[in-house]
Amino acid sequence: MNPVNYLYLAALLFTIGATGVLIRRNAIVVFMCIELMLNACNLAFVTFSRMHGNLDGQIIAFFTMVVAAAEVVVGLAIIVSLFRTRHSASVDDASLMKL
Amino acid sequence: MENLIALLIAAPLLGAAVLLCGGRRLDAVGHWIGTVLAAASFVLGVVLFTGMLGKAADHRTLTQHLFSWIPVGGFQADVTFRLDQLSMTFVLLITGVGSLIHLYSVGYMEHDERRRRFFGYLNLFLAAMLLLVLADNYLLLYVGWEGVGLASYLLIGFWQHKPSAATAAKKAFLVNRVGDMGLSIAIMLMFTTFGTFAFGPVFADVDRTGQGKLTAIGLMLLLAACGKSAQVPLQSWLGDAMEGPTPVSALIHAATMVTAGVYLIVRSGAIFNAAPDAQLAVTVVGAVTLLFGAIVGCAKDDIKKALAGSTMSQIGYMVLAAGLGPIGYVFAIMHLVTHGFFKAGLFLGAGSVMHGMNDEVDMRRYGGLRKYMPVTFVTFGLGYLAIIGFPGLSGFFSKDKIIEAAFAKGGTEGWILGGAALLGAAITAYYMTRVMLMTFFGEERWRNAPTPSPAEPSVEPAAETRGEHAEPHPHESPGVMTIPMIVLAFGSVFAGGLFSVGDRFLRWLEPVTGHSEGHSPVSALTVTASTLVLLVVGAGIAYAQYGRRPVPAVAPRGSLLTRAARRDLLQDDFNHVVLVRGGEHLTRSLVYVDHTLVDGVVNGTAASVGGLSGRLRRLQNGYARSYAVSMFGGAAVLVALTLLMRAV
Amino acid sequence: MSFPLLTATAVLPAVGAIATAAVPAAQRTAAKWLALVVSLATLALAAVVAFRFAPGGARYQFTESHAWIKDFGVRYELGVDGIAVALIALTALLIPFVILAGWHDADPMETGSRRWRPTQGFFALILAVEAMVILSFEATDVFLFYIFFEAMLIPMYFLIGGFGDHAHEHGEQAASTQRSYAAVKFLLYNLVGGLIMLAAVIGLYVQAGNFSLPEIVQARANGSLHMATGTERWLFLGFFFAFAVKAPLWPLHTWLPNAMGEATAPVAVLITAVVDKVGTFAMLRFCLQLFPEASKWATPVILVLALISIIYGALLAVGQRDIKRLVAYASISHFGFIILGIFAMTTQGQSGATLYMVNHGISTAALMLVAGFLISRRGSRLIADYGGVQKVAPVLAGTFLIGGLATLSLPGLAPFVSEFLVLVGTFTRHPAIGIIATFGIVLAALYTLVLYQRTMTGPVKTEVAAMPDLRVRELLVIAPLIALLIFLGVYPKPVADIVNPAVRHTMSDVHQTDPKPEVEAAK
């Protein structure tokens, strides 16, 4: 099978994720969309690895997974504490980062 | 022998250092330390003088090289002293009169708690003045030049708690600084022209350079001389300088420092001889000042200010003579020396009068003092006769020669200058007779007016330092004060004759200054005769006004000229309006400009950056999605650009 | 390998700074003594440098060179010529006096204010400034110089912003606001200058391929490094701008009166007598040597700016109501003289300018520190608040007068020598500018004597009637400075001898010789 198809899939997944980040307000959903984007990238890396015949892309994919796991831990903690203080998981309610 | 020259300066310098750093411990003996060191310098001067007399006229110049001062490339300034007949004359005058005035001050300043410091300043002055006349190059001379300015500043403002004294001191320093500017520009010109500013090499190369440069140097030296010697247009400080203690007026503002300008011109004779235009300017300044000072002297009721006007006028004579070139140099210096004697004597006499009169300076509150102060009266009277040129006394010889020399310049200039000098002699007789009559003759006006006149606010604080206001009890001063007056009176009487008999003074100075006889269109006898006639006329008018009629205790309003003369011929008013007010406006507007314009540009930039960022920060609305959009947008643009670049 | 004398001279105060900062909070006095001892030891090292320096020897002596950032050709390269030696000696000399004068400036206030004033920090910062200033005088690597040139801003910022005197007409709150304004202004001005210089430093690297000053100068001299005229001019301007801000040259001067006015007197001395000298020093060392042609090209404009500085600074000093700001504007006038001397391109001008840096440092320190003692007694910086001090505190008034006389360049005191050299050096090449600059000496007399008259003479004001005279510690600060002013005024030859060879090198770098005197030219 042509590996380029995997790239198309990765692009599709990334776009879905990006759209989700941009239009959804629920922090959990936004968060899941980010995961989707990361995994789209992973897919692209692995595909490139296959296409070029070396292992660099696969290694980076592993790195991404590790970072994503760490990110999930921190991100979920933030979301939980946000929910506790504001009783809502909407990202629009957390708009304090402005001057 | 030449190794002693530095000691001349070192003695008073040591005195100044010891007295000024010594602290209160030395209060009891400080004045004697100062006096002894001044006298030591005089004795040293006499030793050097006798040594000099023992040599042939052409081999009398001694030089002492101490050390290299400022060596930078072609600019080589050394600390080298030069003692020739000209500087020897000054050394004797400075240390001699200086020692006498130190002695006098022991009595005069007896009740001043800061007497030690006063003597420290006096010693500092002597050191600086000696440095001025002993320097072998113009830069070292400049050090002495400003050094005497500093001493003069400190001494005029000695009674610093009087605002008028502090102001007068500042004014003297500032006006002198304008003159100093001339001296420094002259030195710079010499350096660019000759590559040096040492006396010998400069004078040797004078004929190798253009007249324009020499004229410029001459005019700048004249500016310097005007500042130091209180010549028009920089004369305004001298009258105010009388705020200082009277011994200071006698030493610095009559006998020595103010004559430094004459020294400078005579010393630079080689330059002036080759620059006739500069010489003409010198004579004009001298002639104008001698009339200006005399007119001012006629109108002042303050005895010291009247004498100050006289000083100005007499130095005008010297400057006039110095401007005449080789026909006048010797006479300028001769008048300078005799003037040193009689003017110092007159000032000491005035000080003695003030001492006995509770520091009253207004002559309208004197009168009839000859009974109470016989020694002062006689010494003052001899000084008076000397200054007006009474036949046989010092002033007669020296002033007469200057008038003759002025005529001898020849041409229209000669007539104008000679005429001015003659007229000056008449006015001198007038104002000095006036001073004499108002002080020592007539009714005792001080009896009617026991309180100091409110018109003279300067009197008040001075009295405060040395006693309360009380009805004056005129009395003769103690011996420590009268002895110097007597010595100076001897000088006033005999110096002129001593110098003139057999042209002694001329032959003494000629090897340094050069001399040539001018061809006068009028005979010497005519000049002498007309001087005497004018003298009698001037004194006669004064007698008619102040001797025959009683002097009003309050000054009458007077004519327009009198009122102008009382205000120093409006020179101060001019300075005030043009320089002081103008300067104030300038600085005030510059402070404004600095704050609003120069700083404003910077603050404006800061403000506009602030405004811009204020607008930009609205983009930060806090919504994560809008940040995400801008990120994606940015990424998309970057990708698009990359592709575009590839395509091109 | 010989003992790294130059590194030691700079490292000693740096280590001293760290040690001082580490002294426990309760041991304030120990921290002061430690700082004083370190600064004196640095002075001893600097004296060794000065005495072992051979004026007739190599151009740069005691050189040290180590690789640092290999990829960019940045080296740790130190070396001093006569000019640097004179300025290092000045810096090391002034710091003990600054520390001694500021002995109580950083004591915590007894009551009221919540502001904690860490004494240790104050003295550590002063030593840090000393270390960086000395290193910037020593660095012959352009990048190394740049680092310290910029880094000294940080301790200076804290010294200005963190420690002011309480004397303020509008109270403590206003003083605090003014102080932070002054500190930020100081930092911003100098950072902007430094940023532009950084661009020029990078540009220089692109052109030359390394940062070593002696190598670049040699390469330029033997023609192996050619710069286009336009490039050279831009690089010159980049360097010059930074130095002109620091110096400061009109119209980039407005940070100085604020900074000097708000800082305590010892810190003000640190600014004007030490830190600012790096600017004028760098003009002489970097601008002229690296870009000789561009320097000549820019000379007319710079001379005019310097002339404006002289007259403008003096006129503004006349118009000031605040003692410290008056001294600041006087300094602007004096920096005009220094820059005038540097760009007059004569040996007299440049030697004079170097001597001027030294003498101005000493004379301003004397005047400013006495002014500081005066201000600390009365608690006001306004001239109008004083009067008749001479009567109650004659020693204070006397030292103040001597400081003032030095500022107005009275012959016999050190500044006269340098000022006259600068004037002569300028006059030989540009007579008109020389004459106009001479007006500065009249104005200097005006602002100094007016200041003295208004504060020290006249009737005694009631507020100053109980003013104590100088204390022993204060006398210990002032007396050596005054002795030095007199000594260098009477016998400046030792310093001139050290400086002259360095100036000759600089002159030959810019391909300039002194104009011949007219008479000699005619022969």
Side-chain angles (χ1 to χ4, degrees):
Chain A
M1 198 172 153
N2 190 356
V4 177
N5 289 335
Y6 290 102
L7 288 184
Y8 290 136
L9 178 62
L12 193 67
L13 286 173
F14 190 88
T15 313
I16 292 169
T19 318
V21 168
L22 291 180
I23 62 174
R24 294 303 297 261
R25 293 188 185 175
N26 189 313
I28 302 285
V29 177
V30 170
F31 202 67
M32 282 158 61
C33 290
I34 291 173
E35 288 300 312
L36 196 58
M37 284 158 71
L38 282 171
N39 283 317
C41 292
N42 275 349
L43 182 58
F45 276 127
V46 174
T47 312
F48 283 129
S49 174
R50 169 85 179 178
M51 282 164 77
H52 296 299
N54 64 19
L55 291 176
D56 289 358
Q58 295 191 26
I59 292 166
I60 292 179
F62 278 115
F63 272 110
T64 315
M65 278 185 229
V66 174
V67 172
E71 184 226 326
V72 167
V73 173
V74 177
L76 276 179
I78 292 173
I79 290 168
V80 168
S81 67
L82 252 183
F83 187 77
R84 278 196 187 144
T85 53
R86 305 195 167 251
H87 303 291
S88 133
S90 168
V91 285
D92 283 8
D93 286 342
S95 64
L96 295 174
M97 288 285 282
K98 63 183 175 190
L99 285 164
Chain B
M1 206 65 182
E2 54 262 23
N3 293 335
L4 292 178
I5 300 175
L7 287 180
L8 278 174
I9 301 172
L13 196 61
L14 176 75
V18 167
L19 291 176
L20 292 179
C21 303
R24 302 232 165 82
R25 260 151 297 172
L26 293 176
D27 272 354
V29 290
H31 46 286
W32 289 117
I33 296 179
T35 312
V36 165
L37 283 169
S41 193
F42 176 64
V43 170
L44 214 58
V46 171
V47 169
L48 284 164
F49 177 62
T50 46
M52 193 178 268
L53 283 181
K55 292 186 195 161
D58 289 337
H59 297 89
R60 283 177 173 168
T61 304
L62 297 174
T63 52
Q64 180 185 13
H65 176 80
L66 274 192
F67 54 86
S68 167
W69 180 28
I70 314 177
V72 175
F75 187 95
Q76 296 289 337
D78 293 340
V79 177
T80 306
F81 300 126
R82 170 201 192 95
L83 185 68
D84 56 15
Q85 289 91 325
L86 182 60
S87 25
M88 191 73 238
T89 313
F90 272 89
V91 165
L92 290 178
L93 177 74
I94 295 160
T95 55
V97 176
S99 303
L100 288 174
I101 285 169
H102 272 75
L103 188 65
Y104 178 90
S105 308
V106 171
Y108 190 83
M109 301 296 286
E110 195 176 352
H111 303 294
D112 198 300
E113 54 178 354
R114 292 160 71 232
R115 178 163 65 162
R116 169 181 57 85
R117 192 178 299 202
F118 180 80
F119 277 84
Y121 293 159
L122 273 189
N123 273 3
L124 179 67
F125 168 76
L126 282 190
M129 189 72 204
L130 288 168
L131 180 63
L132 196 166
V133 296
L134 287 171
D136 187 43
N137 61 59
Y138 281 97
L139 199 66
L140 195 59
L141 181 147
Y142 188 36
V143 176
W145 190 264
E146 286 233 6
V148 292
L150 169 67
S152 154
Y153 168 78
L154 293 169
L155 285 165
I156 295 172
F158 186 71
W159 288 319
Q160 288 187 328
H161 50 272
K162 293 199 293 183
S164 57
T167 309
K170 183 189 69 186
K171 182 174 174 186
F173 197 96
L174 281 177
V175 176
N176 268 298
R177 263 268 151 147
V178 176
D180 295 347
M181 219 178 87
L183 186 53
S184 48
I185 293 175
I187 297 175
M188 293 188 241
L189 272 167
M190 284 179 209
F191 181 69
T192 50
T193 316
F194 303 109
T196 173
F197 35 80
F199 291 152
V202 167
F203 300 154
D205 275 347
V206 158
D207 44 348
R208 249 194 286 233
T209 182
Q211 218 186 60
K213 271 275 170 68
L214 290 174
T215 307
I217 295 175
L219 288 177
M220 285 298 122
L221 289 174
L222 174 63
L223 178 63
C226 282
K228 193 72 36 187
S229 292
Q231 300 293 295
V232 174
L234 298 179
Q235 86 297 351
S236 63
W237 64 272
L238 188 63
D240 293 336
M242 296 300 130
E243 286 290 341
T246 309
V248 173
S249 314
L251 178 61
I252 300 185
H253 305 119
T256 54
M257 185 192 86
V258 283
T259 57
V262 183
Y263 170 78
L264 185 69
I265 295 172
V266 174
R267 179 56 89 189
S268 318
I271 295 172
F272 280 99
N273 290 344
D277 292 343
Q279 271 187 326
L280 183 65
V282 173
T283 51
V284 168
V285 165
V288 168
T289 312
L290 84 86
L291 291 175
F292 184 103
I295 292 169
V296 169
C298 293
K300 293 283 184 186
D301 288 334
D302 178 328
I303 185 168
K304 286 180 75 181
K305 291 200 171 165
L307 288 177
S310 156
T311 304
M312 217 184 274
S313 164
Q314 297 301 315
I315 295 171
Y317 274 106
M318 301 171 208
V319 170
L320 167 62
L324 295 172
I327 50 175
Y329 291 141
V330 174
F331 304 126
I333 300 298
M334 189 161 116
H335 193 56
L336 192 155
V337 175
T338 55
H339 174 257
F341 285 122
F342 56 68
K343 187 52 68 59
L346 287 170
F347 264 109
L348 294 189
S352 177
V353 169
M354 287 161 59
H355 195 72
M357 294 289 290
N358 282 354
D359 288 308
E360 176 64 82
V361 289
D362 189 353
M363 292 189 291
R364 292 188 184 276
R365 288 159 193 280
Y366 292 165
L369 292 175
R370 65 180 185 284
K371 281 184 287 197
Y372 303 95
M373 307 178 176
V375 183
T376 307
F377 168 63
V378 171
T379 52
F380 196 92
L382 289 172
Y384 155 73
L385 291 177
I387 193 174
I388 63 171
F390 191 80
L393 272 67
S394 292
F396 169 75
F397 293 103
S398 50
K399 200 191 287 179
D400 224 39
K401 290 282 189 195
I402 291 178
I403 299 172
E404 271 175 45
F407 278 112
K409 185 164 170 72
T412 331
E413 294 154 41
W415 282 104
I416 294 172
L417 295 173
L422 268 180
L423 185 59
I427 307 178
T428 307
Y430 172 79
Y431 68 73
M432 282 313 297
T433 311
R434 173 173 176 271
V435 169
M436 196 68 198
L437 290 173
M438 285 175 87
T439 307
F440 292 102
F441 295 89
E443 56 183 295
E444 297 170 353
R445 291 181 299 277
W446 39 272
R447 285 204 192 280
N448 312 330
T451 49
S453 55
E456 279 291 342
S458 64
V459 179
E460 209 177 335
E464 174 194 289
T465 45
R466 291 197 263 117
E468 305 80 55
H469 312 305
E471 182 166 328
H473 299 286
H475 55 84
E476 188 52 88
S477 301
V480 76
M481 286 168 70
T482 47
I483 291 170
M485 288 155 59
I486 295 167
V487 176
L488 286 171
F490 266 96
S492 326
V493 175
F494 299 113
L498 200 70
F499 291 161
S500 294
V501 172
D503 286 338
R504 279 207 197 106
F505 199 75
L506 204 160
R507 278 188 285 114
W508 160 254
L509 268 189
E510 200 184 351
V512 183
T513 59
H515 184 71
S516 68
E517 291 293 337
H519 303 286
S520 180
V522 276
S523 74
L525 203 65
T526 324
V527 171
T528 310
S530 41
T531 313
L532 287 178
V533 169
L534 283 167
L535 189 161
V536 172
V537 170
I541 295 174
Y543 180 70
Q545 284 185 346
Y546 295 94
R548 305 253 312 267
R549 277 185 268 155
V551 181
V554 176
R557 192 151 174 273
S559 67
L560 202 64
L561 181 65
T562 315
R563 272 179 282 149
R566 275 191 201 133
R567 300 182 66 103
D568 296 326
L569 295 179
L570 303 181
Q571 231 263 330
D572 263 351
D573 302 73
F574 174 81
N575 284 353
H576 188 77
V577 171
V578 176
L579 297 176
V580 179
R581 286 277 175 74
E584 273 171 7
H585 282 298
L586 179 66
T587 52
R588 224 172 280 154
S589 47
L590 271 181
V591 169
Y592 179 76
V593 165
D594 197 54
H595 193 72
T596 50
L597 214 67
V598 183
D599 224 12
V601 169
V602 178
N603 286 343
T605 315
S608 59
V609 170
L612 187 65
S613 60
R615 245 160 268 142
L616 277 177
R617 81 176 181 193
R618 303 230 176 99
L619 293 176
Q620 310 281 319
N621 55 13
Y623 293 115
R625 7 190 200 103
S626 74
Y627 298 153
V629 169
S630 57
M631 269 166 64
F632 283 115
V637 169
L638 279 180
V639 169
L641 272 178
T642 320
L643 290 178
L644 217 69
M645 297 295 271
R646 267 241 192 109
V648 173
Chain C
M1 204 187 105
S2 60
F3 180 69
L5 196 55
L6 295 185
T7 305
T9 318
V11 164
L12 183 63
V15 171
I18 296 167
T20 310
V23 173
Q27 307 288 318
R28 274 188 291 112
T29 319
K32 294 175 186 178
W33 280 104
L34 178 64
L36 184 62
V37 168
V38 168
S39 67
L40 287 173
T42 312
L43 175 59
L45 273 180
V48 172
V49 172
F51 283 113
R52 285 189 39 196
F53 181 82
R59 177 168 193 179
Y60 294 107
Q61 300 183 16
F62 312 111
T63 48
E64 295 169 31
S65 183
H66 304 283
W68 184 27
I69 310 177
K70 286 207 179 100
D71 293 344
F72 299 110
V74 178
R75 298 181 66 81
Y76 177 78
E77 235 180 36
L78 302 183
V80 287
D81 57 0
I83 300 169
V85 167
L87 290 170
I88 290 171
L90 170 76
T91 307
L93 181 87
L94 286 180
I95 298 293
F97 295 119
V98 167
I99 290 177
L100 209 52
W103 204 247
H104 296 300
D105 279 5
D107 287 352
M109 283 173 291
E110 295 86 354
T111 50
S113 172
R114 283 180 292 113
R115 245 161 43 77
W116 179 57
R117 309 214 299 173
T119 314
Q120 283 82 349
F122 183 71
F123 292 101
L125 287 171
I126 291 177
L127 287 177
V129 172
E130 179 180 23
M132 291 183 204
V133 170
I134 288 181
L135 270 170
S136 54
F137 285 140
E138 289 172 347
T140 51
D141 185 284
V142 179
F143 194 79
L144 193 66
F145 168 81
Y146 174 75
I147 289 174
F148 296 116
F149 182 77
E150 286 294 283
M152 73 178 81
L153 298 180
I154 301 163
M156 280 318 298
Y157 170 77
F158 288 113
L159 280 172
I160 298 169
F163 307 88
D165 36 37
H166 313 282
H168 203 281
E169 44 189 312
H170 303 304
E172 178 67 18
Q173 189 58 43
S176 173
T177 318
Q178 290 278 323
R179 197 153 52 230
S180 29
Y181 172 73
V184 169
K185 198 170 177 182
F186 163 82
L187 193 68
L188 281 183
Y189 262 84
N190 284 285
L191 276 181
V192 169
L195 210 61
I196 292 174
M197 181 182 164
L198 179 63
V201 168
I202 294 168
L204 180 71
Y205 178 69
V206 171
Q207 291 279 318
N210 65 45
F211 286 112
S212 168
L213 174 73
E215 277 177 37
I216 297 175
V217 170
Q218 205 187 355
R220 296 220 60 190
N222 62 26
S224 63
L225 171 61
H226 178 74
M227 274 189 211
T229 316
T231 320
E232 187 185 343
R233 287 177 183 175
W234 279 112
L235 292 180
F236 169 84
L237 287 179
F239 275 80
F240 184 79
F241 185 79
F243 304 149
V245 169
K246 187 147 277 184
L249 183 66
W250 188 89
L252 305 169
H253 64 275
T254 52
W255 65 269
L256 187 71
N258 285 94
M260 278 178 75
E262 301 307 324
T264 62
V267 173
V269 170
L270 207 58
I271 298 171
T272 185
V274 176
V275 170
D276 285 355
K277 295 297 184 305
V278 181
T280 44
F281 163 80
M283 286 180 196
L284 202 47
R285 178 176 267 190
F286 294 102
C287 282
L288 292 194
Q289 295 189 20
L290 290 172
F291 316 107
E293 293 308 317
S295 302
K296 272 187 264 181
W297 163 74
T299 294
V301 178
I302 294 173
L303 286 180
V304 170
L305 288 180
L307 196 60
I308 294 175
S309 280
I310 294 171
I311 303 295
Y312 184 89
L315 281 174
L316 272 149
V318 176
Q320 293 305 311
R321 299 183 303 128
D322 175 325
I323 299 176
K324 282 163 131 186
R325 287 178 69 94
L326 190 151
V327 179
Y329 277 107
S331 283
I332 291 170
S333 178
H334 288 143
F335 277 109
F337 274 109
I338 297 176
I339 295 170
L340 193 67
I342 292 173
F343 284 90
M345 305 280 183
T346 53
T347 49
Q348 287 85 33
Q350 292 184 349
S351 285
T354 311
L355 286 175
Y356 211 125
M357 292 185 221
V358 175
N359 295 337
H360 172 256
I362 303 171
S363 70
T364 305
L367 183 65
M368 194 70 188
L369 292 179
V370 186
F373 299 151
L374 184 72
I375 289 166
S376 69
R377 280 164 166 70
R378 168 75 173 80
S380 166
R381 303 189 328 226
L382 292 184
I383 295 169
D385 284 347
Y386 296 87
V389 175
Q390 201 277 335
K391 188 118 181 162
V392 285
V395 180
L396 191 152
T399 48
F400 192 67
L401 181 62
I402 296 177
L405 292 174
T407 303
L408 64 78
S409 299
L410 188 86
L413 297 175
F416 168 73
V417 174
S418 39
E419 190 161 299
F420 200 81
L421 280 173
V422 166
L423 286 174
V424 164
T426 311
F427 188 85
T428 48
R429 219 181 271 281
H430 313 279
I433 292 180
I435 289 175
I436 300 173
T438 314
F439 278 98
I441 70 170
V442 179
L443 292 173
L446 184 62
Y447 61 68
T448 314
L449 295 183
V450 168
L451 174 64
Y452 182 80
Q453 188 194 351
R454 294 203 179 139
T455 52
M456 299 295 169
T457 70
V460 181
K461 287 220 168 151
T462 43
E463 294 92 340
V464 304
M467 191 177 270
D469 212 332
L470 286 189
R471 299 182 182 92
V472 175
R473 170 180 64 88
E474 294 166 334
L475 211 55
L476 221 56
V477 172
I478 294 305
L481 291 177
I482 288 175
L484 213 60
L485 281 174
I486 294 173
F487 176 75
L488 288 180
V490 176
Y491 195 58
K493 192 165 181 287
V495 186
D497 283 345
I498 288 182
V499 169
N500 283 339
V503 166
R504 269 200 298 280
H505 280 297
T506 312
M507 285 286 286
S508 72
D509 283 337
V510 286
H511 316 294
Q512 292 279 11
T513 48
D514 287 340
K516 283 257 177 292
E518 204 173 85
V519 171
E520 215 167 294
K523 271 179 196 169

